Amino acid sequence: MNTLDFKNFDKIKEECGVFGIFSNEENLDVARLTNFGLFALQHRGQDACGIAINDNGTIVYHKNLGTVPEVFDDVVLNHLSGQIAVGHVRAATAASNSRENAQPLVTKYVKGTLTLALNGTLVNARSLREELEQSGALFQGTTDTEILAYLIAKERLFTHSVEDAITNMVGKLEGAYSFVVMSPSKLIGVRDPKGMKPLCLGKYKNSYVIASESVAFDAINAEFVRDIEPGEMVVITKDGIESKRVAPKCDTALCIFEHVYFARPDSVIDGASVYEARKEAGRYLARQKPVDADVVIAAPDSGISAAIGYSQESGIPYEVGLMKNRYIARTFIQPTQEMRENAVRIKLNALKSVVSGKRVILIDDSIVRGTTSKRVVALLREAGATEVHMRISSPAFLFPCYFGTDVGSQDVLVAVNRSVEEINELIGSDSLDYLTLENLLKTPVGSKCNFCTACFDGNYPLDVSEVSKAGDFKDVHFIKKLHIEK
Amino acid sequence: MNTLDFKNFDKIKEECGVFGIFSNEENLDVARLTNFGLFALQHRGQDACGIAINDNGTIVYHKNLGTVPEVFDDVVLNHLSGQIAVGHVRAATAASNSRENAQPLVTKYVKGTLTLALNGTLVNARSLREELEQSGALFQGTTDTEILAYLIAKERLFTHSVEDAITNMVGKLEGAYSFVVMSPSKLIGVRDPKGMKPLCLGKYKNSYVIASESVAFDAINAEFVRDIEPGEMVVITKDGIESKRVAPKCDTALCIFEHVYFARPDSVIDGASVYEARKEAGRYLARQKPVDADVVIAAPDSGISAAIGYSQESGIPYEVGLMKNRYIARTFIQPTQEMRENAVRIKLNALKSVVSGKRVILIDDSIVRGTTSKRVVALLREAGATEVHMRISSPAFLFPCYFGTDVGSQDVLVAVNRSVEEINELIGSDSLDYLTLENLLKTPVGSKCNFCTACFDGNYPLDVSEVSKAGDFKDVHFIKKLHIEK
Amino acid sequence: MNTLDFKNFDKIKEECGVFGIFSNEENLDVARLTNFGLFALQHRGQDACGIAINDNGTIVYHKNLGTVPEVFDDVVLNHLSGQIAVGHVRAATAASNSRENAQPLVTKYVKGTLTLALNGTLVNARSLREELEQSGALFQGTTDTEILAYLIAKERLFTHSVEDAITNMVGKLEGAYSFVVMSPSKLIGVRDPKGMKPLCLGKYKNSYVIASESVAFDAINAEFVRDIEPGEMVVITKDGIESKRVAPKCDTALCIFEHVYFARPDSVIDGASVYEARKEAGRYLARQKPVDADVVIAAPDSGISAAIGYSQESGIPYEVGLMKNRYIARTFIQPTQEMRENAVRIKLNALKSVVSGKRVILIDDSIVRGTTSKRVVALLREAGATEVHMRISSPAFLFPCYFGTDVGSQDVLVAVNRSVEEINELIGSDSLDYLTLENLLKTPVGSKCNFCTACFDGNYPLDVSEVSKAGDFKDVHFIKKLHIEK
Amino acid sequence: MNTLDFKNFDKIKEECGVFGIFSNEENLDVARLTNFGLFALQHRGQDACGIAINDNGTIVYHKNLGTVPEVFDDVVLNHLSGQIAVGHVRAATAASNSRENAQPLVTKYVKGTLTLALNGTLVNARSLREELEQSGALFQGTTDTEILAYLIAKERLFTHSVEDAITNMVGKLEGAYSFVVMSPSKLIGVRDPKGMKPLCLGKYKNSYVIASESVAFDAINAEFVRDIEPGEMVVITKDGIESKRVAPKCDTALCIFEHVYFARPDSVIDGASVYEARKEAGRYLARQKPVDADVVIAAPDSGISAAIGYSQESGIPYEVGLMKNRYIARTFIQPTQEMRENAVRIKLNALKSVVSGKRVILIDDSIVRGTTSKRVVALLREAGATEVHMRISSPAFLFPCYFGTDVGSQDVLVAVNRSVEEINELIGSDSLDYLTLENLLKTPVGSKCNFCTACFDGNYPLDVSEVSKAGDFKDVHFIKKLHIEK
């Protein structure tokens, strides 16, 4: 690690959150509600965000690189008034982190304005893009959202409504996605047939709200109505709400990592509490491979819920053993040569009074490259821990994800071609245990969905032959386009 | 005038300048050459600018709101390396002044990247846009450039080269335009069949350069080769340059206002020196309606050349009678209530020693609303001028322009429905004279082109029925899209 | 609450952190070490920060409004090289939040450069300032740091060293403070005679480091050497370190609120672990007024340590019952009218699965105005809590603090003139208990200092007659000076 | 020239302009009036600016690096309300171009607030500064303004009014300066005993105005009352205006370069019109060394007035032979290697139609290093000029200026140790002539002041032994202080 990214220490990135609201009140401040909804979804993406408002057919929007509070202030929000709003937060790879790729995508097509905000990824993006180009399409950015917009525009020529166009389009998409569409008079939310990305429906007074996670409703004091079902489209107009199926019911495959890491602990997805699922994971870990120890601590913040569960199950006291610096930074400061090996301590600090002379159980949600885990274990030992037992609240990461998370090729995954014991040695812990997949699947108690576990077992719920064959499976362009921000 | 725009006092705005370069040298810094070329074209648009570079098929670009020195610095330019570059400066109306509309437009289409920079306007934009939407097109901005890009993308499906696609497209365009296109391996420049917008060809060492005006070549020490002809396309590749006709020869109609005001005095357009044309206009004015006076002064800067011509013809000494504040400002500061009537003096100051007790001839290039002229005349009288004789180096502005300048409806034009004597009374001068159209047409000595004089006589060289019928002839969207810059 | 300050919900603000380093290595990157040290002290002030470096007698510095990662990036840090560095993070009141007040204060005086960074406040600032003005002093900002600099400059005229000047000066100061001084060849750290503000000494390889809290050493992997004693001055030169007393030993009075709230849990102050002190407070609370309940939860983040202690003592399970949005924002967004009452939920969210149907014990560190507590209790009830028992890990706040914290007059303090039962009713909890002062004083186990408890019992360790008489006790200017940031 | 400074091509920099207003009206917008006054004085300094307003004893101010329109906008101006205002524009050397050095200087001293804006330089700054440091003074910036403020603060202790303090202070100053002071209830303007820097008095309705040049009054439609006399202090209070002498009358020595280059042509200084003085210089040049030629052209903008005078005297027609790019830029873009020799053409372009085949007389105001002149002559020859005769409207620059202009040591001055013929050869002109000092002194017709001509003849009107002995005569600090702007 030559430079220091304060935000991400060896963590997988989720790829976006969406929000939509259709006002049925007089003078509802849909822009501020969207702003606060997006702020609650900020954990799903901190690289760019945007809000587009439909004011009687005219779209006013603002989007930029940055977090919600960086991009929006009172001056901007005061200019955003209207009746329907769509918002987006984005997690980007370095290559794609340009203003052009910020969402919502606002376009004009044959039937007026068409605004989209997408969470997810298509696995047949390349062929769809090529097919569209073969019919004269132009792409100005590199997100899949443009593909959806084009397909809707094409389908709309032969259908009677934007809903029909969307339904036809969904038939052509292969991917894990949820999206909201704003037409001149409608707000539409769609979840992919397998429900791989979450999407839910809420009600704010008499107005309907759509969001990636239920916490967005909590933030604005909206009522959670229900999850949008896999393969369902909800269409909100001034006449109310309608539900349609855009795909026949099939096996569902919600990304299990929503429960492991992506979603906020206070969200409830498809009926299962994320916090309880994580605590449950901790409980299973305590039973899987018991160890004699003095304290249970968490890798903050992602390991906290599981550590509490582990403590409750094992009876070993839960303590704050690692302190995290809360002052999130966008900038990358290069640490000094002397500090490089210890760069992790800029973000994390071990509490000597908690770990010194103690046998420590350290709970984390996952290990990607293993470099951070190794450094954290070293940090605990320096602080006097006599033993460090690492427990991971998910199975080993063995297969790449093609569905919109930032996990690259197998080359970077520490668990590929290594036994648990080898990893244990590599990171320097006294013992290591991963949650079994079998146990993990039992943690989202009450879930109405089944799960995608491809990153653990390679069972992809979609045909990934197109993306997996690519040299760099994330880049569907043989010609790249960069944007320099000044 | 409630707020004070330091940049524009009652002036018509030109709508853009373009620049392109194709390197045939090793390590030619095409980005800096484009930067300096655009800086020389800055008078054609100060609202936005951009540069896109083709580096072996990859496009790297930067564009933003602001002037060339505001948008580009060494850090940005250092990131822009490649072999082909396209640049653009933009003058925008308030409504369209968004980052989305900044050019060059960079897109990916069926044959790779397609980059466009356009100076001009289509008069059949609405019908072209609707036709494209009928085939599934999406528009993300409100400029005509997207229309061109789509048409090229469509035509390219059925043609063997981007040149052929452009040739077919030109057949569908009605408008006044010049544009440059950058494909993965070519730089192409096209001037509309009537040559309404200028475009010329230069040579920098062994590399070819294209620009809206010859001053861009002077700035980088490139050699002026020739004007690109109306209806001509030049195609520059590594194998050299080729010229093709994209339209049969027809009557030409270069915008006469390029000579009156738009172009820089040091430019030479279609063989005629702009400075000499303006001086010639001053000479004709001196002969048209002689007046006994002590000094000839100019409304700076646009009246200077004509005032020198007038002085030389009349023998009345030329003096600096009005001083202009050179510190151009983007911001609009509201003057105090007390100052409002005299706001013009923030930008202009009369030299008492020059005008006090003198009979003054004031030369300006044109009068739009008349409000500024009235204030300048008052300023001169306050400074002690005993007489102020106004001379305008172009005819009265009577008809709207649909070809990419910022002259609105006839409602704002002071000369519509007013005699010269009425205008003279309105602005408070002792006498007023406009250059006759007949004389004006004689001023661009040596011009190889005829001229569009529609704003003076209503003889539009193109069919403007589509745009002139529109309520607001500039807006082809029934649905508007705004962008809030933060 | 009409606007929404994401950063501070009814919290007391600490007023600064200081850092200093004197390099005894070749090419030590003192700027980056200071940057990371300040980043670890960021919790002590997020309004402004700065770093000044002494490069062989020349001072190079950068300071501005904002957090450490906002103000410093690699480009700035690369320009800051030298052998001695002083850094500062600042918490400001709205009135004083100007660039002029950012520290370190860099000045030139009779013996060369004099750079100061101060944590704390003088209670005799007004009379010192007036006395200095009476001798011709000028003040350019409103911080007490200028007073210290002037006094040193004055004393230096009659003393043989800057140390002697500082010693003389300390004799004139009445206040709670720690500061670092950088002279052309020395780094000096001073802690006030009563040790009211913390300051400690560390070692990085062969170089000495001074910081407000030990966490700054952890962040750069420096070794903690010891706390600087109340009334001690340490002088670091190339010849090593020297300790001198600047005041005779006396009763010490470290601000007890460092343990309650200000300091980071992973800091150790005067021998006592902050985390353990807070846990101990939770344990005492559990014993003070036991209550039958199902879960113990914390008001994040300040109540977490005490809640864990409470849980361990009572045996009632600790859970995450309130989730905090981690995306700190500087901007104040006005919530919609409808949301105003519930604005707290933008920052905090209750976990239904944890509190629904449960009797909840909520631990917080303090109550200032009571408004936030009331809203949090309501939030928990809405989420289904059947009972909410509030436990506060410090006594009731009854007296203003004059020593550099942002607690205003008694008017805002909810506990003034209200019984515990009245406050319980006001905030809507089922029961309420404050930690007794007697118990609080037992929590910093191992502390070598006694404590200032003035905010709880009115026993001020210093004569506060000068500041307490002032209408606004914080403003020593009868003439105010504001700075508008653009 | 490795980098390209768009602003300054081998030009001397003036070091500031000042403005002050004392309102006697209800609700006079003194901030906007000051803003527009400073905008008119912008040519005197573009590096930093500021406005401080006294609102019934409270000072509100804003200052920053940048031009007036860059630093002030409507939002900032709306926050600046009050009855007395002081403003400043600053030209800085690279080393001193920090926010800390921006003026006005706002301080608090024994009698309340003290605000200063200074144009000029002290030649005894070093000894005054040392003397002040010997009495305990601290300096936070590197401008002489702090010295003045300290001296006033010191003197005020023993005097009955700020006027008396200022009078005493002036007795200690050696230098060329004008300044305005704002006390809690007074606006005071002072011009140095020799009147080396200009300062004048105006009236806006019933309110008094002070400014460096009369153009500031023209900009706000204020009436020019009179020049403030050398050694005069004007004191403006609510009771009206009073004039006092702060020094006995003596030989005056207004900087002659105000007429040659610094001041705006539309200013009138001490009774002499700058425009007429420059024209007169042109007339003398025409008589001094007549030459047969076809056109007279100016190096824009500084040579325009003299070129018109030359043309009128010689009968050779005046033409625009060099066009200047008006889009002023702060940024320095490094030209490409190929362009370096011709970098001047980015700013200037020769008009071929004017100079081709012509014998050209080129008028400029001065030559500093000679590099730019050489390039301009080459530019004209490339454009076809058959002869280029250079005429300079001031004598050769032979001695350094110690009075606040940016002319460095004699090393850089091309005329030192070179005959006129040698310079002619060096810059490549066909003939060269400088205006004689005798003639120059005749050009400011009607001037009530004598002139400082030290840069031409070495006759310094003040004792410059202190500054001329210094290694670097501009730096009075043996310890430097830099500020990094981010």
Side-chain angles (χ1 to χ4, degrees), chain D residues 43-303:
Chain D
H43 61 288
R44 297 185 75 85
Q46 295 106 49
D47 293 319
C49 61
I51 298 176
I53 310 268
N54 185 333
D55 188 8
N56 295 307
T58 297
I59 307 297
V60 189
Y61 68 96
H62 181 62
K63 54 185 182 178
N64 212 340
L65 298 180
T67 61
V68 175
E70 284 167 353
V71 172
F72 293 97
D73 60 18
D74 270 326
V75 174
V76 170
L77 291 173
N78 290 343
H79 280 90
L80 296 171
S81 61
Q83 302 78 41
I84 323 177
V86 167
H88 192 268
V89 289
R90 178 158 199 267
T93 56
S96 71
N97 196 15
S98 75
R99 272 187 326 216
E100 270 68 10
N101 283 337
Q103 298 194 36
L105 175 69
V106 181
T107 71
K108 166 81 175 60
Y109 82 133
V110 68
K111 295 296 182 183
T113 59
L114 181 69
T115 304
L116 276 99
L118 167 71
N119 171 30
T121 304
L122 305 180
V123 291
N124 64 339
R126 176 177 292 202
S127 51
L128 288 174
R129 190 179 278 260
E130 281 171 6
E131 197 182 306
L132 285 163
E133 286 178 356
Q134 291 298 346
S135 74
L138 287 175
F139 291 93
Q140 297 189 34
T142 59
T143 68
D144 291 347
T145 318
E146 274 190 286
I147 297 174
L148 270 70
Y150 264 116
L151 290 174
I152 295 172
K154 295 267 178 210
E155 293 296 333
R156 189 67 182 85
L157 300 173
F158 313 106
T159 48
H160 286 298
S161 66
V162 70
E163 298 96 295
D164 290 354
I166 290 171
T167 305
N168 288 0
M169 171 192 68
V170 166
K172 303 190 168 183
L173 304 180
E174 280 288 308
Y177 56 84
S178 285
F179 62 84
V180 288
V181 169
M182 182 166 69
S183 81
S185 60
K186 296 168 187 167
L187 176 68
I188 296 169
V190 175
R191 191 171 172 190
D192 71 77
K194 296 197 183 281
M196 295 181 73
K197 299 287 175 187
L199 196 66
C200 53
L201 181 70
K203 208 166 177 190
Y204 182 81
K205 304 196 171 187
N206 292 313
S207 302
Y208 284 100
V209 205
I210 297 172
S212 289
E213 286 182 42
S214 62
V215 289
F217 303 153
D218 297 337
I220 62 170
N221 206 16
E223 177 197 346
F224 174 85
V225 174
R226 62 174 178 85
D227 291 279
I228 292 175
E229 286 179 31
E232 181 186 3
M233 165 166 63
V234 297
V235 182
I236 304 163
T237 65
K238 66 179 171 44
D239 302 322
I241 188 164
E242 251 191 300
S243 167
K244 302 189 181 189
R245 288 215 60 83
V246 285
K249 295 215 177 189
C250 62
D251 261 10
T252 54
L254 174 69
C255 169
I256 187 76
F257 233 71
E258 293 283 349
H259 279 291
V260 174
Y261 173 71
F262 291 151
R264 259 175 58 169
D266 42 343
S267 276
V268 177
I269 305 179
D270 292 326
S273 155
V274 173
Y275 177 70
E276 299 300 332
R278 290 181 191 172
K279 269 186 61 187
E280 205 57 28
R283 291 183 178 281
Y284 280 109
L285 277 175
R287 283 181 232 132
Q288 268 187 201
K289 180 169 179 170
V291 62
D292 225 22
D294 302 306
V295 286
V296 178
I297 69 169
D301 294 334
S302 55

Side-chain angles (χ1 to χ4, degrees), chain A residues 206-226:
Chain A
N206 291 313
S207 302
Y208 283 100
V209 206
I210 297 172
S212 289
E213 286 182 42
S214 62
V215 287
F217 304 152
D218 297 337
I220 61 170
N221 205 16
E223 177 197 344
F224 174 84
V225 175
R226 62 174 178 85

Side-chain angles (χ1 to χ4, degrees), chain A residues 57-64 68-73 75-76 79-80 98-100 105-114 129-130 133-141 146 149-150 153-154 157 184 476-486, chain B residues 57-64 68-73 75-76 79-80 98-100 105-114 129-130 133-141 146 149-150 153-154 157 184 476-486:
Chain A
T58 297
I59 307 298
V60 189
Y61 69 95
H62 181 62
K63 54 185 183 180
N64 212 340
V68 174
E70 284 167 353
V71 171
F72 292 96
D73 60 19
V75 175
V76 170
H79 280 91
L80 296 171
S98 75
R99 272 187 326 215
E100 269 71 9
L105 176 69
V106 181
T107 70
K108 167 81 175 59
Y109 82 133
V110 69
K111 294 295 182 184
T113 58
L114 181 70
R129 191 178 277 261
E130 281 172 6
E133 286 178 358
Q134 291 297 345
S135 74
L138 287 174
F139 291 93
Q140 298 189 34
E146 275 190 285
Y150 264 116
K154 296 268 177 209
L157 300 174
V476 296
H477 297 277
F478 70 101
I479 289 181
K480 287 178 206 161
K481 202 169 71 181
L482 299 176
H483 184 87
I484 295 169
E485 288 297 321
K486 189 187 166 183
Chain B
T58 298
I59 307 297
V60 188
Y61 68 96
H62 181 62
K63 54 186 183 178
N64 212 341
V68 175
E70 285 167 352
V71 172
F72 292 96
D73 60 18
V75 175
V76 170
H79 280 90
L80 296 171
S98 75
R99 274 192 319 221
E100 269 70 9
L105 175 69
V106 181
T107 70
K108 166 82 176 57
Y109 82 132
V110 69
K111 294 296 180 182
T113 58
L114 181 70
R129 192 179 276 263
E130 282 172 7
E133 286 178 357
Q134 291 298 343
S135 73
L138 289 173
F139 291 93
Q140 298 190 33
E146 275 190 285
Y150 264 116
K154 294 268 178 209
L157 301 173
V476 294
H477 295 277
F478 71 101
I479 288 182
K480 287 179 206 160
K481 202 168 71 180
L482 300 175
H483 184 88
I484 295 168
E485 289 296 322
K486 189 187 165 185

Side-chain angles (χ1 to χ4, degrees), chain C residues 89-388:
Chain C
V89 291
R90 179 161 197 264
T93 57
S96 73
N97 196 15
S98 75
R99 273 191 319 221
E100 270 71 9
N101 283 337
Q103 296 194 35
L105 176 69
V106 181
T107 71
K108 166 80 176 60
Y109 82 132
V110 69
K111 294 296 181 183
T113 58
L114 182 68
T115 303
L116 276 99
L118 168 70
N119 171 30
T121 303
L122 305 181
V123 291
N124 64 338
R126 175 176 294 200
S127 51
L128 288 174
R129 192 179 277 263
E130 282 171 7
E131 199 182 304
L132 285 164
E133 287 178 357
Q134 290 297 344
S135 74
L138 289 173
F139 291 93
Q140 297 189 34
T142 58
T143 67
D144 291 347
T145 318
E146 275 190 285
I147 297 174
L148 269 70
Y150 264 117
L151 290 174
I152 295 172
K154 294 268 178 210
E155 293 297 334
R156 188 67 182 84
L157 301 174
F158 313 106
T159 48
H160 286 298
S161 66
V162 69
E163 298 96 293
D164 289 354
I166 290 171
T167 305
N168 288 359
M169 171 191 69
V170 166
K172 302 189 168 183
L173 304 180
E174 280 288 307
Y177 56 84
S178 286
F179 61 86
V180 287
V181 169
M182 181 168 67
S183 79
S185 59
K186 295 168 187 167
L187 175 69
I188 296 167
V190 176
R191 190 171 173 192
D192 71 77
K194 295 193 184 284
M196 297 180 73
K197 300 288 176 187
L199 194 68
C200 52
L201 180 70
K203 208 166 176 191
Y204 182 80
K205 304 195 173 188
N206 292 313
S207 303
Y208 283 101
V209 204
I210 297 173
S212 289
E213 286 182 41
S214 62
V215 287
F217 304 152
D218 298 336
I220 60 170
N221 204 18
E223 175 196 347
F224 174 85
V225 174
R226 61 175 179 85
D227 291 279
I228 291 174
E229 285 180 31
E232 180 186 5
M233 165 166 64
V234 296
V235 182
I236 303 162
T237 64
K238 64 180 170 47
D239 301 321
I241 188 163
E242 251 190 300
S243 166
K244 303 188 181 188
R245 288 217 60 85
V246 287
K249 296 214 175 189
C250 64
D251 261 10
T252 54
L254 174 71
C255 170
I256 187 77
F257 233 71
E258 293 282 350
H259 280 291
V260 174
Y261 173 72
F262 291 151
R264 260 175 58 169
D266 41 344
S267 277
V268 176
I269 305 179
D270 293 326
S273 153
V274 174
Y275 176 70
E276 298 300 332
R278 289 181 192 171
K279 270 185 62 186
E280 204 58 29
R283 292 183 178 279
Y284 280 109
L285 278 175
R287 284 178 231 134
Q288 267 187 203
K289 182 170 180 169
V291 62
D292 225 22
D294 303 304
V295 286
V296 178
I297 69 170
D301 293 336
S302 55
I304 290 174
S305 313
I308 290 172
Y310 193 106
S311 164
Q312 290 178 359
E313 183 70 21
S314 65
I316 301 169
Y318 167 75
E319 299 275 1
V320 177
L322 287 165
M323 199 68 204
K324 188 175 175 180
N325 193 321
R326 294 290 174 202
Y327 299 93
I328 301 160
R330 186 161 303 280
T331 38
F332 290 34
I333 300 279
Q334 206 170 333
T336 68
Q337 187 58 47
E338 295 89 352
M339 296 175 66
R340 201 143 301 163
E341 262 311 295
N342 290 298
V344 75
R345 64 177 69 236
I346 289 158
K347 181 117 185 198
L348 292 180
N349 194 17
L351 280 85
K352 283 201 192 68
S353 72
V354 169
V355 302
S356 180
K358 304 281 177 56
R359 296 164 300 171
V360 175
I361 297 169
L362 171 64
I363 313 287
D364 205 350
D365 68 291
S366 59
I367 302 178
V368 183
R369 284 174 189 76
T371 36
T372 301
S373 301
K374 185 178 174 179
R375 284 169 177 161
V376 173
V377 169
L379 204 64
L380 292 169
R381 292 206 192 279
E382 275 177 52
T386 55
E387 296 174 19
V388 180

Side-chain angles (χ1 to χ4, degrees), chain B residues 83-334:
Chain B
Q83 302 78 40
I84 323 177
V86 167
H88 192 268
V89 290
R90 180 160 198 265
T93 56
S96 71
N97 196 16
S98 75
R99 274 192 319 221
E100 269 70 9
N101 284 336
Q103 297 194 34
L105 175 69
V106 181
T107 70
K108 166 82 176 57
Y109 82 132
V110 69
K111 294 296 180 182
T113 58
L114 181 70
T115 303
L116 276 99
L118 167 71
N119 171 30
T121 304
L122 305 180
V123 291
N124 64 338
R126 176 176 294 200
S127 52
L128 287 174
R129 192 179 276 263
E130 282 172 7
E131 198 181 306
L132 285 164
E133 286 178 357
Q134 291 298 343
S135 73
L138 289 173
F139 291 93
Q140 298 190 33
T142 59
T143 66
D144 290 347
T145 318
E146 275 190 285
I147 297 174
L148 269 70
Y150 264 116
L151 290 174
I152 294 172
K154 294 268 178 209
E155 294 297 333
R156 189 67 182 83
L157 301 173
F158 313 106
T159 47
H160 287 297
S161 67
V162 69
E163 299 97 293
D164 290 353
I166 291 172
T167 305
N168 287 1
M169 171 192 70
V170 166
K172 302 191 168 182
L173 304 179
E174 280 287 306
Y177 57 84
S178 286
F179 62 85
V180 286
V181 168
M182 182 166 68
S183 80
S185 58
K186 296 169 187 168
L187 175 69
I188 297 169
V190 175
R191 192 171 172 193
D192 71 76
K194 295 195 183 284
M196 297 181 73
K197 301 286 176 189
L199 194 67
C200 52
L201 181 70
K203 207 165 177 191
Y204 182 80
K205 305 194 172 189
N206 291 313
S207 303
Y208 283 100
V209 204
I210 298 173
S212 288
E213 286 182 42
S214 61
V215 289
F217 303 152
D218 297 337
I220 60 169
N221 205 18
E223 177 197 345
F224 174 85
V225 174
R226 62 175 179 84
D227 291 280
I228 292 174
E229 286 179 32
E232 181 187 3
M233 164 165 65
V234 296
V235 182
I236 303 162
T237 64
K238 65 179 169 47
D239 302 321
I241 189 165
E242 252 191 300
S243 167
K244 304 189 180 188
R245 289 216 60 84
V246 286
K249 295 215 176 188
C250 63
D251 261 10
T252 56
L254 174 70
C255 169
I256 187 76
F257 233 71
E258 293 282 350
H259 279 290
V260 173
Y261 172 72
F262 291 151
R264 260 175 59 169
D266 43 344
S267 276
V268 176
I269 306 179
D270 292 326
S273 153
V274 173
Y275 177 69
E276 299 300 331
R278 288 180 193 173
K279 269 186 60 187
E280 205 58 28
R283 292 182 178 281
Y284 280 108
L285 277 175
R287 284 179 230 135
Q288 266 188 204
K289 181 169 181 171
V291 62
D292 226 20
D294 303 306
V295 287
V296 178
I297 69 170
D301 294 333
S302 56
I304 290 175
S305 312
I308 290 173
Y310 192 107
S311 165
Q312 290 179 0
E313 181 72 19
S314 66
I316 302 168
Y318 168 76
E319 299 275 2
V320 176
L322 288 164
M323 199 68 204
K324 187 174 174 181
N325 192 321
R326 294 291 174 203
Y327 299 92
I328 301 160
R330 186 162 302 281
T331 37
F332 290 32
I333 300 280
Q334 207 170 330

Side-chain angles (χ1 to χ4, degrees), chain A residues 25 37 47 64 75 119 153 167 185 188 205 323 332 390 394 413 451 462 481 485:
Chain A
E25 327 286 322
D47 293 318
N64 212 340
V75 175
N119 170 30
T167 305
S185 59
I188 296 168
K205 303 195 174 190
M323 201 65 204
F332 290 33
M390 191 92 179
S394 65
L413 301 175
F451 295 98
L462 299 172
K481 202 169 71 181
E485 288 297 321

